[in-house]
Amino acid sequence: MPAAPPPPPAPRLAGHALVEALVAQGVTTCFGVPGESYLAALDGFHEHRDRIRFIACRQEGGAAFMAEASGKLGGRPGVCFVTRGPGATNASIGVHTAFQDSTPMVLFVGQVASDQRDREAFQEIDYRQMFGPGTLGLAKWVAQVDSADRLPEYVARAFHTAMQGRPGPVVLALPEDMLATPTAAPVLPRVEPAQAWPAPGALRRLREMLLAAERPVLIAGGPAWDAEAAAALQRFAENWQLPVACAWRFQDTFDNRHPQYAGDVGIGTHPKLAARIRDADLVIALGIRLGEMTTGGYTLLQAPRPAQRLVHIHPGAEELGRVYAADLMLQAANASAARALEALAAPLALPWAGQAAAAHAEYEANLEAAPIEPLDLAAVIRALQRHLPESTLYASGAGNFAGWLHRYCRHPGLQHHGRTQLAPSSGAMGYGLPAAVAAALLHPERWVVNVAGDGDFLMNGQELATATGSGAKRLLSLVVDNGSYGTIRMHQEREYPGRVSGSELCNPDFAALARAYGWRAERIERTAEFEPALQRAIEAGTPTLLHLKLDPDVITSRTTLAAIRAAALARPAPAG
């Protein structure tokens, strides 16, 4: 006889049932800023503190970035709690990043009491309108839970939705009176996403296209990879001797040291790799959105109909055909697609044999650069990789400083240590430090490095306090200080040479600031000073900030402001 169903739980506050539902979904850490709108849920965290922890952050944007990073690292939704109104608007930047980066995440927002709804009560917002689900909204699904008895149902659906197809964020609004209502509703079991597999006929068509090609290129990336899938991807590439590039800010999808790795495609793409993609006769885009950054502003592949034959494989049906009229479109989860592709039999001889080795040689040559003094950021990245384990996680936000990290940091591939790159393909400033703090708390056995610009860092620099208060250890933050919003200054010099406006910064002493938050800190002005400072940070094993003073003229890993300005001034004046 079948086992009898378990008896319903005793009535408890819905806020406690919510925390129980999170535990059932495997959540061990939540991030947030406390608010009076969800006191019952906070009490639930206290009740179940032996099974789940609530990390109190210093600003909701930082908390949402931490939850987004958690989703990137674990493949299951990161969880964030914020209060109504200003709390939700502050957190929206993390929701937007999760949407553009296809990261599973659930944001819980405290809401006004039910009897005050629609009166513009204190901090009231209609979150279904604010987060506007849709292809250009902020979230995959937005709902308000009005019934305490249905709360576990909503949580289970939120996790399903966040992971299903193209992953992304879900927002649930929680009226404060609902959270304080007793409920005997049972918690639902852990949910798992359905894994779509490519159709056999489509795989046969893909093999035919490969056999007809002479200059194929594979571009991989996106969410929801695991170690086995990454290994399967590598075997597929090896079987067919394909040059492999990684999409922008998904550089850890494929082992950068592998002899078939061709580099990353995004801002600052190596010109030879860009030319190789333009000249390809077949591009296989696996798991990626083919967005503006990865396609070089829709120029590497012309929209809507590329010159190359295009195979687009993506977990979300809505993404296929959205921008590009591909020759072959396959809806499949990345993990399933990689396992299916490795089974495609390759012929003994391939007409493009040797192209992958040539592409990798070009990538290796791009790692070489003339030293820049007094402070060479290329040497800084190389020193990090020499002295820290290959399992080190590297986080960054947005700005020109990240170009050195993208160009010189070599990621070992997901099959070895899981994710080693945390960066927002949404281009959100202020992401790196919160993401690094989350990584250090979720993976205390690993080293975590945040590389930030001065403008980028101060967007969420207060999360230094979260790291200190939560007991983070192997955490290093590099602040590259050139006294400007460097990316904007670069574009100003290109478009309006010599006319600087709004891009200069007045900065604090970052080392002194970090010490005030309980961090170790040092100031670095010359290349030779960095390696000893790094060794001291490693030996200390406590959060350390290194303040790197960079010459403002050194604007990217390839050029200077002076060169950009000179080129702009040399352009012919527009006619008329």
Side-chain angles (χ1 to χ4, degrees):
M1 295 180 62
R12 72 285 199 212
L13 297 182
H16 288 214
L18 170 59
V19 176
E20 292 170 11
L22 295 176
V23 171
Q25 296 304 325
V27 179
T28 61
T29 303
C30 298
F31 303 92
V33 176
E36 70 275 15
S37 58
Y38 65 96
L39 291 177
L42 289 171
D43 192 66
F45 281 110
H46 181 271
E47 180 71 15
H48 298 286
R49 60 191 180 278
D50 58 331
R51 297 193 290 170
I52 190 170
R53 60 179 172 172
F54 179 87
I55 302 296
C57 306
R58 304 313 290 264
Q59 205 260 10
E60 291 88 357
F65 280 147
M66 292 186 197
E68 196 278 346
S70 174
K72 272 193 172 83
L73 288 170
R76 292 184 65 82
V79 176
C80 181
F81 279 80
V82 298
T83 196
R84 58 192 179 230
T89 54
N90 282 342
S92 64
I93 187 172
V95 178
H96 178 255
T97 295
F99 192 89
Q100 290 227 320
D101 287 42
S102 304
T103 303
M105 173 180 167
V106 179
L107 175 69
F108 293 100
V109 182
Q111 177 60 300
V112 301
S114 302
D115 61 352
Q116 299 175 10
R117 189 182 309 149
D118 299 327
R119 293 175 173 172
E120 196 183 348
F122 182 60
Q123 300 180 336
E124 181 182 7
I125 293 176
D126 184 337
Y127 299 107
R128 284 168 289 204
Q129 293 190 54
M130 172 183 163
F131 288 100
T135 56
L136 289 177
L138 289 180
K140 289 185 69 177
W141 178 49
V142 186
Q144 180 163 304
V145 186
D146 292 317
S147 167
D149 290 341
R150 293 187 64 190
L151 181 56
E153 170 196 339
Y154 275 86
V155 173
R157 181 177 169 186
F159 274 70
H160 264 298
T161 304
M163 292 186 289
Q164 199 68 36
R166 175 188 168 187
V170 167
V171 178
L172 290 184
L174 309 170
E176 58 180 308
D177 58 327
M178 183 278 295
L179 288 174
T181 300
T183 178
V187 168
L188 297 179
R190 177 184 172 105
V191 301
E192 299 290 347
Q195 298 292 329
W197 283 76
L203 289 171
R204 287 193 296 270
R205 176 65 180 141
L206 172 55
R207 185 174 185 274
E208 292 169 359
M209 294 172 72
L210 275 167
L211 291 173
E214 295 182 355
R215 299 178 306 281
V217 173
L218 170 63
I219 307 175
W225 288 88
D226 57 30
E228 291 182 5
L233 168 65
Q234 181 173 310
R235 288 190 290 269
F236 167 62
E238 290 169 345
N239 292 342
W240 289 87
Q241 300 180 44
L242 294 168
V244 182
C246 287
W248 191 52
R249 294 190 158 169
F250 289 99
Q251 287 171 248
D252 54 1
T253 307
F254 193 85
D255 191 338
N256 297 181
R257 305 158 302 181
H258 193 278
Q260 290 171 232
Y261 181 65
D264 67 295
V265 189
I267 295 177
T269 301
H270 184 26
K272 290 188 176 181
L273 175 56
R276 186 174 291 277
I277 294 170
R278 289 193 188 96
D279 294 341
D281 60 359
L282 175 64
V283 173
I284 302 173
L286 174 55
I288 60 177
R289 290 182 46 235
L290 290 174
E292 178 185 354
M293 296 297 102
T294 296
T295 62
Y298 307 104
T299 62
L300 298 182
L301 291 93
Q302 293 289 338
R305 184 64 177 167
Q308 312 92 324
R309 300 185 83 185
L310 174 63
V311 175
H312 194 185
I313 307 171
H314 197 273
E318 73 284 355
E319 194 63 32
L320 297 169
R322 180 179 179 184
V323 177
Y324 289 100
D327 297 274
L328 179 62
M329 294 180 288
L330 290 80
Q331 183 192 0
N334 291 341
S336 304
R339 291 173 173 86
L341 290 173
E342 73 164 324
L344 288 183
L348 294 178
L350 292 162
W352 60 81
Q355 291 182 22
H360 186 69
E362 292 167 357
Y363 162 73
E364 293 278 359
N366 188 47
L367 296 176
E368 302 299 324
I372 297 173
E373 295 300 341
L375 180 59
D376 186 355
L377 290 182
V380 165
I381 302 302
R382 292 191 188 104
L384 289 170
Q385 299 235 284
R386 278 197 308 273
H387 291 282
L388 290 170
E390 70 171 27
S391 61
T392 298
L393 277 153
Y394 293 90
S396 62
N400 276 18
F401 66 89
W404 281 271
L405 186 63
H406 294 165
R407 181 175 176 182
Y408 297 108
C409 184
R410 308 185 74 172
H411 295 274
L414 279 160
Q415 67 267 43
H416 299 294
H417 306 286
R419 287 275 173 211
T420 54
Q421 182 183 40
L422 290 171
S425 64
S426 69
M429 293 180 70
Y431 176 89
L433 179 64
V437 172
L441 295 175
L442 293 168
H443 293 280
E445 77 285 359
R446 297 172 68 177
W447 272 94
V448 181
V449 177
N450 169 46
V451 182
D454 44 356
D456 173 79
F457 180 81
L458 281 183
M459 295 280 180
N460 276 308
Q462 72 282 345
E463 301 303 343
L464 292 171
T466 303
T468 302
S470 300
K473 297 297 182 185
R474 299 180 177 183
L475 179 56
L476 177 64
S477 184
L478 276 54
V479 179
V480 181
D481 176 8
N482 66 354
S484 70
Y485 287 121
T487 303
I488 309 307
R489 175 70 185 277
M490 176 183 70
H491 291 305
Q492 283 180 328
E493 294 290 2
R494 181 178 291 130
E495 303 299 327
Y496 305 96
R499 298 173 64 83
V500 180
S501 176
S503 56
E504 295 179 312
L505 295 175
C506 176
N507 284 328
D509 180 335
F510 287 101
L513 179 66
R515 292 188 196 104
Y517 281 107
W519 285 46
R520 289 186 68 261
E522 298 188 39
R523 179 184 173 101
I524 309 294
E525 297 186 2
R526 306 188 66 82
T527 305
E529 299 170 355
F530 180 78
E531 202 155 356
L534 173 61
Q535 291 173 325
R536 288 190 289 271
I538 294 171
E539 291 166 3
T542 58
T544 298
L545 183 144
L546 299 180
H547 178 189
L548 311 183
K549 284 293 295 180
L550 187 68
D551 184 337
D553 193 52
V554 182
I555 197 63
T556 76
S557 69
R558 300 186 188 278
T559 190
T560 63
L561 283 178
I564 294 171
R565 187 183 311 118
L569 291 170
R571 286 197 305 260

